[in-house]
Amino acid sequence: MALLVAVGACARDDADGTGAAGDGTLRIAVPSYPSSWDQDFVGFDPIALMLYKNVFPYLIDYGVTTVDGAEISDTENIIPTFAESFEPDAENRVWTLRLREGVTFASGNELTAHDVKWSKDRAFAAQANVAGIYRLIGLTEPDQVRVIDDYTVEFHQAFPSALTREIQAISLYVFDSQEAQEHATDDDPWASDWIAGNPPSGGYFRVESATQGQEVLLSRNPDYPGPDPAQIDQIRLTVVPAASNQRLQLQNGDIDVALGMSQRDVADLRELDGVAVISAPSNEQVAIQMSVETAPFDDVNVRKALAYAVPYEQIIANVYGGDARPVQSLVPLDMPGYDERGYPYTYDLDAARAALDEAGLDSVQAELVFETDNETQQQLAVLVQSEAAKVGIELELTPLDPGTLAERRNQKNIPLQITSGQMWVNDVEYLLATSLTEGAALNYSNYRNSEIEQIYEESHTVVDEAERNQLWLRVQELLAEDVPWAIICQPNFNLPVRDHVTGWVQPVDGLARLQHLSSSS
Amino acid sequence: MRLLRFVARRLLQLVPVLFGVVIVTFLLVRVLPGDPIRSILGPAATEADVAAAQARYGLDQPLWRQFLDYLQGLATGDLGTSIQSGGSVGAELAVRIGPTLELVILSLAVALLLATTLGIWSARRAHRLGDHSIRVVALAGNSLPDFWLGLVLILVGYSMLGWFPPPAGRIEPGTGLTTITGAELVDATLTGNGEAFLSALRYLILPVATLSIVITAPLLRSVRASALEVLHSPAYTAAAAHGLPDRLLRRGYLVRAALVRLPPLAALVFGFGIGSTVLVEFVFSWQGFGQWALRGLLFRDYPVVQASVLVIAACYVLVFLIADVVQAMLDPRVRVDG
């Protein structure tokens, strides 16, 4: 054993030079290795999706704006990146995408309208992520995407939509279709096997190397044609699943950025020399969704009782260390149309008891579900359980693993569940589409209000901002009456970094754009 | 010849065992609550999208059809396609199993060496200070959770002393190692890459130490008990009374006889080691088979779960076969029946 220790000790000396990054390299720890390189067929995997934002050629992307001194994605300013322009006709129905000429993939193949067409056809064929999201803007058939010439593509939507730019900002990525087609077979016409295992040809960054399960090395794409190119030469993404290890490595200077640490670890890190915590307002919402179809929460008064029993300020102070924003609407803060009349519930046990009386109940019992291994949700659940018990709402805490959670959500039999996440599109229509209308995938409350359904339908074709805000105001009034969620807060995003790291831009979709990062050392 | 026949017969017996494992796993993974399909579809997915994805992975077929397809795939060496990644399960398994086997086999080797040396040394000094110390250390090793032990070793070895590399992967980047088996030490040896060999060795030290400390304890107790039995046996006493040299007594009488119980126990411990890698790999960012299997299980990735259980079962039965053969070689009373 002594010999082994000696080998370790000697080798450590050798490694100090090679392990440390040079000036042009940032080392980022991520909690897991991306499950696939295929964006169309990938399972929901935040790390993979984040990586795609940086290595796939996206034709348009968000600009940057400043809120409270922090830089965040500017959802009202979507700029062409690999594209030259993306503009609608007078009716906002036919959108023309004009490509820059002479842009090449890493293979040397030119990026043309045919790549866009092939990539969109593939997305429709996959019937997954993009195909689903395109429905919101009236794109359902491959025929609606038309090649006009080598550098021009038209998208013929079934109806005009105010969401188009934002939906396309998250969907307009392209594959090197020539290269992919070389690996297509009769059984696999979309080259899924090949694409799953081979990194794409380059967005802001190219994939220099990828060691399965361990690390991905990115290098700045020298052929990136648009504004805002990558600031750093190389980024080494290393898989470090344990948050405690990310913390130690950040402390020791072996990594520069830790993507995947808990609130508690981040709080401790603030005091350390050489480490900084970048904080930015986020649109992540934390809520308890109450199933409006499951007793006893099928009674609106019981939902109100719980909404009054949640210790909002205590949660922000104790679970988030004060690093979260209180909210007064199911529409997130910073989303156009947010109105404070949308959630009139505060921590008030007398009001909670009164609401329970109104429902004709002395006490109720229910299950509160949260994600296994999610320390924050667990703390939150314990606090809610304790306060709710004071008014006679007895909660049984049930942590569930991802598979079981997905199954039970599908069966729609969870009375109460803690949810946290953010909208990929900063718009109430998208919020309604994904979370608050009948059949929506994230509508775990099984909520349905016919007036909201009507407003949602109407909103598809309304593009005027003032008119849309009127609709959203009514939506928030209805949600305040029906209270399908106890909306808790919007925690800020905190990113622990070495203090030489600068240039973080908080992404609206939670998927880091690494091109903004740089090192002052 | 007789040994070869014994091995061949045992290998044939594995077929029905593994077939049983295939059936049970196939059924169990589908009985478990959980939906692998929803996780690959976006929030705006419709029932038609769900149906299309199910059809893509053959999950729309009746169970018997799915099973037959699975068996047909197995017969041709096709373990299926991962629902999470869309990649071939066989290819993913190939890069994941090597590093984990390397970790477990090295840990077992270190543990066997430690257990044999310390166990016999301890027995020869029974009830003296050295013996008591070793027994206390073994007891402590047995009761330490591997997860916690790994964290402590990282804290001391990496963070405080700075002797070991960060717990981030299995080899330093830039060593230019060509992957053949996925097991870095083996690949470095096969390709004669000295730098990669040293680097992989450094990354292995703490995880191997963690795992071997945990599995040494039961082996050590077994060796010590066997050695004590031998020391008190009439044959050994007689040999000692005849004044045989100490070295001959140790090698000819004590060591071989004391090791007789070890192979089946080592096989059991090997299985325990494979199971422990889930946590050890997590702590050391090892990203081997354990993490892959766990992720498959968490997301109900049926083909991944089926393949990982089958591989564990195959490892178990093969290791027990090896244990039986080794025991037969060590113990003349055991006869292999060809």
Side-chain angles (χ1 to χ4, degrees):
Chain A
M1 187 53 76
L3 177 69
L4 293 181
V5 169
V7 171
C10 295
R12 167 80 184 183
D13 294 337
D14 298 341
D16 277 341
T18 51
D23 280 345
T25 303
L26 276 182
R27 296 152 305 175
I28 301 180
V30 290
S32 63
Y33 191 79
S35 55
S36 166
W37 291 107
D38 187 342
Q39 174 134 219
D40 289 331
F41 293 92
V42 71
F44 183 75
D45 175 350
I47 296 302
L49 293 167
M50 183 271 281
L51 198 57
Y52 299 157
K53 286 287 167 199
N54 297 282
V55 299
F56 266 93
Y58 272 79
L59 301 181
I60 57 175
D61 202 357
Y62 297 108
V64 177
T65 187
T66 304
V67 171
D68 298 341
E71 293 195 305
I72 65 167
S73 303
D74 186 354
T75 55
E76 288 168 43
N77 176 27
I78 293 171
I79 50 175
T81 50
F82 277 82
E84 190 174 276
S85 63
F86 182 58
E87 294 299 332
D89 65 356
E91 287 178 13
N92 268 302
R93 211 177 64 77
V94 178
W95 287 72
T96 304
L97 179 75
R98 179 85 195 150
L99 299 176
R100 295 170 198 267
E101 295 186 21
V103 175
T104 53
F105 291 105
S107 63
N109 296 332
E110 191 182 6
L111 193 166
T112 67
H114 306 287
D115 294 302
V116 179
K117 174 66 180 161
W118 189 83
S119 302
K120 297 305 108 185
D121 286 355
R122 185 177 197 273
F124 282 118
Q127 276 188 267
N129 306 306
V130 169
I133 214 166
Y134 266 169
R135 274 188 208 107
L136 305 180
I137 56 172
L139 290 175
T140 49
E141 302 292 332
D143 290 350
Q144 291 174 278
V145 182
R146 297 176 196 164
V147 174
I148 305 303
D149 60 41
D150 280 354
Y151 302 102
T152 313
V153 183
E154 280 180 359
F155 291 80
H156 291 252
Q157 296 177 189
F159 47 80
S161 170
L163 291 184
T164 300
R165 275 203 172 85
E166 287 197 69
I167 293 284
Q168 291 286 22
I170 59 176
S171 310
L172 259 180
Y173 51 83
V174 287
F175 292 93
D176 181 344
S177 65
Q178 247 177 288
E179 194 179 27
Q181 278 170 299
E182 284 165 19
H183 298 90
T185 61
D186 289 345
D187 287 343
D188 183 16
W190 299 108
S192 300
D193 281 350
W194 184 80
I195 286 176
N198 289 278
S201 197
Y204 296 108
F205 293 93
R206 284 183 181 167
V207 179
E208 201 67 34
S209 64
T211 312
Q212 230 272 344
Q214 295 188 72
E215 69 156 34
V216 178
L217 181 62
L218 307 180
S219 64
R220 180 212 307 260
N221 181 357
D223 297 330
Y224 171 74
D228 243 347
Q231 299 296 304
I232 196 94
D233 290 337
Q234 279 199 322
I235 291 183
R236 193 178 288 285
L237 293 160
T238 309
V239 177
V240 182
S244 58
N245 282 345
Q246 289 201 7
R247 178 181 164 167
L248 283 179
Q249 290 178 49
L250 189 69
Q251 200 172 325
N252 285 14
D254 280 323
I255 56 170
D256 300 307
V257 180
L259 276 174
M261 291 185 43
S262 70
Q263 292 280 344
R264 190 183 292 175
D265 283 313
V266 173
D268 292 348
L269 280 171
R270 286 181 193 277
E271 311 304 322
L272 287 178
D273 280 348
V275 175
V277 177
I278 296 174
S279 200
S282 152
N283 58 355
E284 181 191 354
Q285 288 179 298
V286 180
I288 298 175
Q289 291 206 25
M290 302 180 260
S291 173
V292 301
E293 286 179 349
T294 311
F297 296 96
D298 52 351
D299 184 330
V300 68
N301 287 309
V302 179
R303 298 204 291 276
K304 285 181 180 171
L306 185 74
Y308 280 122
V310 172
Y312 301 94
E313 289 175 13
Q314 197 186 347
I315 289 171
I316 290 178
N318 296 351
V319 178
Y320 295 99
D323 205 13
R325 295 184 289 171
V327 288
Q328 272 88 45
S329 176
L330 268 61
V331 170
L333 287 161
D334 309 327
M335 186 177 274
Y338 171 85
D339 188 281
E340 299 212 339
R341 278 166 290 184
Y343 192 75
Y345 304 95
T346 51
Y347 174 62
D348 182 344
L349 292 184
D350 291 334
R353 270 192 210 97
L356 215 51
D357 288 345
E358 190 79 13
L361 295 167
D362 288 335
S363 67
V364 294
Q365 290 186 328
E367 187 188 20
L368 174 58
V369 165
F370 57 95
E371 295 165 9
T372 310
D373 294 338
N374 189 325
E375 200 182 311
T376 306
Q377 289 195 356
Q378 188 183 2
Q379 290 171 9
L380 201 156
V382 169
L383 283 178
V384 172
Q385 181 192 40
S386 153
E387 294 305 310
K390 292 177 184 169
V391 295
I393 302 175
E394 302 290 341
L395 298 178
E396 183 196 336
L397 304 189
T398 309
L400 292 183
D401 65 278
T404 313
L405 188 60
E407 167 92 1
R408 288 201 52 192
R409 280 176 170 170
N410 199 26
Q411 292 168 347
K412 302 185 185 304
N413 66 0
I414 307 179
L416 292 178
Q417 58 184 300
I418 298 178
T419 58
S420 58
Q422 64 187 105
M423 289 294 110
W424 282 11
V425 174
N426 199 28
D427 192 283
V428 181
E429 186 184 341
Y430 186 81
L431 174 74
L432 297 180
T434 55
S435 311
L436 290 161
T437 46
E438 190 174 20
L442 306 178
N443 183 1
Y444 306 130
S445 295
N446 309 313
Y447 176 63
R448 187 184 192 285
N449 178 305
S450 53
E451 194 179 340
I452 288 186
E453 298 287 331
Q454 203 182 336
I455 291 173
Y456 170 59
E457 289 300 322
E458 193 183 335
S459 71
H460 293 333
T461 50
V462 178
V463 291
D464 178 71
E465 194 180 337
E467 219 176 311
R468 285 167 73 79
N469 285 345
Q470 276 306 310
L471 296 179
W472 307 151
L473 185 59
R474 180 60 188 149
V475 163
Q476 287 168 92
E477 284 170 1
L478 293 168
L479 289 171
E481 285 166 23
D482 293 342
V483 57
W485 303 358
I487 181 80
I488 293 171
C489 63
Q490 277 180 231
N492 292 331
F493 176 80
N494 287 314
L495 182 72
V497 297
R498 293 299 295 178
D499 53 12
H500 61 87
V501 177
T502 54
W504 175 259
V505 174
Q506 177 62 16
V508 67
D509 45 23
L511 307 173
R513 309 298 201 275
L514 304 174
Q515 81 271 20
H516 302 296
L517 289 177
S518 60
S519 168
S520 59
S521 68
Chain B
M1 238 8 239
R2 180 177 283 183
L3 194 66
L4 276 180
R5 276 207 304 277
F6 168 76
V7 170
R9 219 180 72 163
R10 285 289 299 272
L11 281 173
L12 276 180
Q13 284 171 356
L14 298 187
V15 176
V17 173
L18 290 181
F19 188 68
V21 170
V22 164
I23 297 175
V24 171
T25 315
F26 180 87
L27 291 175
L28 272 184
V29 76
R30 279 162 179 77
V31 169
L32 274 177
D35 181 0
I37 289 298
R38 277 277 170 191
S39 73
I40 59 166
L41 300 175
T46 62
E47 288 309 312
D49 297 338
V50 173
Q54 281 176 334
R56 196 155 65 233
Y57 293 100
L59 299 175
D60 58 336
Q61 300 291 320
L63 210 56
W64 64 267
R65 180 81 243 173
Q66 290 182 41
F67 184 63
L68 284 184
D69 288 346
Y70 172 46
L71 279 188
Q72 199 179 357
L74 276 184
T76 56
D78 177 8
L79 292 169
T81 301
S82 161
I83 297 172
Q84 268 289 306
S85 73
S88 148
V89 169
E92 287 182 9
L93 178 64
V95 294
R96 296 286 191 153
I97 191 74
T100 299
L101 283 181
E102 185 170 79
L103 174 64
V104 176
I105 290 171
L106 272 178
S107 304
L108 190 63
V110 171
L112 282 172
L113 191 70
L114 280 176
T116 312
T117 317
L118 294 177
I120 291 175
W121 187 88
S122 190
R124 282 162 62 90
R125 285 157 191 76
H127 310 301
R128 280 149 64 182
L129 183 64
D131 177 40
H132 289 314
S133 313
I134 295 232
R135 288 168 67 191
V136 168
V137 170
L139 192 66
N142 209 9
S143 22
L144 293 178
D146 40 17
F147 180 77
W148 180 84
L149 182 62
L151 284 177
V152 169
L153 288 181
I154 288 169
L155 200 62
V156 176
Y158 160 68
S159 192
M160 287 168 64
L161 301 174
W163 289 356
F164 296 98
R170 306 194 296 259
I171 194 163
E172 267 146 39
T175 55
L177 180 65
T178 314
T179 302
I180 300 170
T181 63
E184 276 81 5
L185 270 191
V186 177
D187 290 351
T189 311
L190 291 176
T191 55
N193 186 335
E195 188 196 352
F197 186 88
L198 270 183
S199 173
L201 190 61
R202 293 178 51 233
Y203 275 82
L204 266 165
I205 291 171
L206 290 185
V208 165
T210 306
L211 209 51
S212 46
I213 287 173
V214 176
I215 61 181
T216 295
L219 298 176
L220 194 151
R221 288 158 69 100
S222 167
V223 174
R224 181 180 174 277
S226 295
L228 276 179
E229 252 178 50
V230 178
L231 286 171
H232 296 134
S233 68
Y236 185 87
T237 318
H242 279 87
L244 289 182
D246 191 52
R247 198 175 142 156
L248 184 61
L249 272 180
R250 239 186 317 138
R251 291 202 176 163
Y253 287 78
L254 183 56
V255 175
R256 188 178 166 123
L259 292 184
V260 164
R261 282 188 197 169
L262 203 54
L265 188 63
L268 262 183
V269 167
F270 177 87
F272 172 76
I274 291 255
S276 297
T277 54
V278 172
L279 286 176
V280 174
E281 284 180 4
F282 176 77
V283 172
F284 288 96
S285 314
W286 196 255
Q287 294 302 319
F289 174 79
Q291 287 295 297
W292 179 74
L294 179 67
R295 188 185 166 97
L297 193 60
L298 284 178
F299 288 95
R300 306 292 183 272
D301 196 338
Y302 296 158
V304 170
V305 179
Q306 286 164 191
S308 49
V309 174
L310 187 60
V311 164
I312 291 175
C315 282
Y316 249 104
V317 288
L318 282 175
V319 165
F320 269 97
L321 171 63
I322 294 168
D324 285 352
V325 171
V326 172
Q327 192 174 23
M329 287 159 71
L330 282 174
D331 189 350
R333 291 167 301 176
V334 176
R335 288 276 166 263
V336 291
D337 184 7

